[in-house]
């Protein structure tokens, strides 16, 4: 009986010894070694109202937003005599590209 118990204890100790480094690595990856662990990326990105305000500040009106995707949102907006399709990065606040769609009505 004593041999059986000793074997179980030895197996448990060896098993825990091999798991501990993996658990420590997972802990380090999840907390403390990435900038995003401390600063949520979403905090620096804009909401819909802020996007509309930023685009309007660049001289656009009649602003329509499409669905956001990968830190970008397509924006349809009018400036002067033209309607444009803008590729707006809502984390940097920059218009990355613009394309004329049609003349404004």
């Amino acid at each position: 009986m004593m041999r059986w118990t000793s074997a179980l204890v030895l197996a448990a100790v060896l098993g825990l010894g091999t798991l501990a480094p993996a658990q420590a690595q997972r802990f380090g990856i999840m907390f403390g070694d990435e900038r995003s662990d401390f600063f949520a990326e979403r905090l620096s990105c804009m909401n819909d109202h802020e996007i509309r305000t930023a685009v309007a500040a660049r001289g656009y009106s009649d602003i329509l937003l499409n669905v956001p995707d990968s830190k970008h949102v397509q924006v349809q907006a009018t400036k002067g005599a033209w309607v444009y399709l803008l590729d707006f990065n809502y984390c940097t606040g920059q218009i990355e590209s613009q394309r004329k769609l049609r003349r404004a009505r």
Side-chain angles (χ1 to χ4, degrees), residues 11-105:
V13 168
L14 291 175
L16 289 176
T18 60
L19 289 177
Q23 289 172 343
Q25 286 177 346
R26 261 188 275 138
F27 179 76
I29 290 170
M30 290 175 51
F31 184 76
D33 65 343
E34 298 285 331
R35 185 181 191 286
S36 61
D37 291 339
F38 298 103
F39 303 102
E41 202 171 288
R42 181 69 183 137
L43 292 176
S44 64
C45 297
M46 300 176 171
N47 62 32
D48 288 357
H49 175 74
E50 293 167 328
I51 293 169
R52 290 175 193 278
T53 302
V55 172
R58 291 173 172 87
Y60 292 91
S61 62
D62 300 323
I63 299 164
L64 302 172
L65 304 180
N66 202 340
V67 179
D69 181 36
S70 301
K71 299 179 187 176
H72 290 259
V73 62
Q74 285 186 336
V75 179
Q76 182 178 311
T78 303
K79 186 174 187 178
W82 290 95
V83 177
Y84 292 90
L85 183 64
L86 310 173
D87 178 19
F88 188 82
N89 184 320
Y90 59 84
C91 287
T92 64
Q94 299 297 312
I95 295 173
E96 297 194 355
S97 68
Q98 68 177 12
R99 183 176 58 145
K100 283 184 183 179
L101 292 178
R102 64 181 180 277
R103 292 193 63 82
R105 296 181 185 158

